[in-house]
C-alpha cells in the first residue's frame, strides 16, 4: 500500500510538472521545444478536448451554432421517414421532429479549424464563442521524444 501511495503521488507530481510548470515556463521564455543533451527533444504539445452534452436541449444549441458557422454538414439529422420524404412533409405542412446528432471527433476538428489551430486554417471564432454545453478545452503538456 505504501508503494502504491508513493507511485500515485509521483504520478500526480509528474502530471503537475508536465501539464503546468514546464509548459508555463517554456511559454514564458518563448520556447516550443528544447534539444536535450541526450539527443532527444522536450516539446510543448497542445492537446484539445471536446465533450458536448448529449441532452436534446443542448444538442439543438450545438446544431444551431454549427449552422450559424456553416458547419451543418456535421449534423446528423434523424427522422422516422426517409430523408427524401422530408421535403414532401415540409411542402404539405406536416409537422415532424428532427433529432440532431454530431460526431464528437468531427466537432472537435471543426472547432480547432474555426479557432485557427489546424495547419493552414484561418481563425474565425474565439474560444469564448463556443457554447458552454460543448465543454471544449485546450491543455498544454510536454513530451520527450528520442531523436
Amino acid at each position: 500500500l505504501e508503494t502504491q501511495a508513493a507511485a500515485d503521488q509521483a504520478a500526480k507530481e509528474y502530471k503537475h510538472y508536465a501539464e503546468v510548470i514546464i509548459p508555463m515556463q517554456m511559454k514564458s521564455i518563448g520556447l516550443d521545444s528544447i534539444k536535450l543533451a541526450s539527443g532527444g527533444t522536450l516539446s510543448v504539445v497542445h492537446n484539445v478536448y471536446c465533450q458536448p452534452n448529449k441532452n436534446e436541449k443542448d444538442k439543438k444549441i450545438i446544431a444551431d451554432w454549427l449552422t450559424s458557422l456553416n458547419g451543418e454538414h456535421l449534423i446528423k439529422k434523424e427522422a422516422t421517414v426517409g430523408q427524401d420524404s422530408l421535403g414532401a412533409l415540409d411542402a404539405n405542412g406536416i409537422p415532424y421532429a428532427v433529432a440532431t446528432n454530431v460526431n464528437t471527433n468531427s466537432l472537435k476538428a471543426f472547432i480547432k479549424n474555426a479557432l485557427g489551430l489546424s495547419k493552414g486554417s484561418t481563425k474565425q471564432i474565439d474560444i469564448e464563442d463556443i457554447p458552454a454545453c460543448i465543454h471544449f478545452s485546450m491543455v498544454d503538456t510536454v513530451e520527450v521524444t528520442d531523436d
Side-chain angles (χ1 to χ4, degrees):
L1 290 174
E2 289 179 28
T3 303
Q4 184 60 48
D8 291 346
Q9 181 61 32
K12 183 178 177 182
E13 289 178 22
Y14 173 83
K15 183 176 179 175
H16 179 68
Y17 275 89
E19 293 181 359
V20 179
I21 303 296
I22 297 173
M24 186 173 61
Q25 292 295 322
M26 289 177 69
K27 188 175 184 176
S28 73
I29 58 175
L31 290 177
D32 286 328
S33 64
I34 299 172
K35 191 77 168 169
L36 302 173
S38 65
T41 305
L42 179 71
S43 303
V44 175
V45 178
H46 308 288
N47 298 301
V48 178
Y49 302 96
C50 182
Q51 296 176 320
N53 288 349
K54 300 292 185 180
N55 64 64
E56 293 305 317
K57 177 184 168 198
D58 288 339
K59 288 187 340 184
K60 171 122 176 62
I61 291 169
I62 293 167
D64 291 346
W65 181 73
L66 285 169
T67 300
S68 75
L69 294 171
N70 297 318
E72 320 180 280
H73 60 283
L74 298 176
I75 303 167
K76 295 179 171 87
K77 295 181 180 178
E78 298 175 3
T80 56
V81 298
Q83 185 73 26
D84 56 339
S85 298
L86 290 177
L89 292 174
D90 285 335
N92 291 300
I94 300 170
Y96 59 91
V98 175
T100 57
N101 292 301
V102 177
N103 178 279
T104 300
N105 287 331
S106 297
L107 178 62
K108 180 171 79 170
F110 180 84
I111 294 172
K112 281 179 61 177
N113 192 55
L115 288 169
L117 300 175
S118 301
K119 189 173 185 176
S121 65
T122 303
K123 184 176 180 178
Q124 301 167 346
I125 63 170
D126 292 316
I127 199 161
E128 296 82 20
D129 298 328
I130 301 168
C133 59
I134 292 179
H135 306 287
F136 183 87
S137 62
M138 296 182 293
V139 177
D140 290 340
T141 187
V142 290
E143 177 180 274
V144 177
T145 54
D146 295 326
D147 292 341

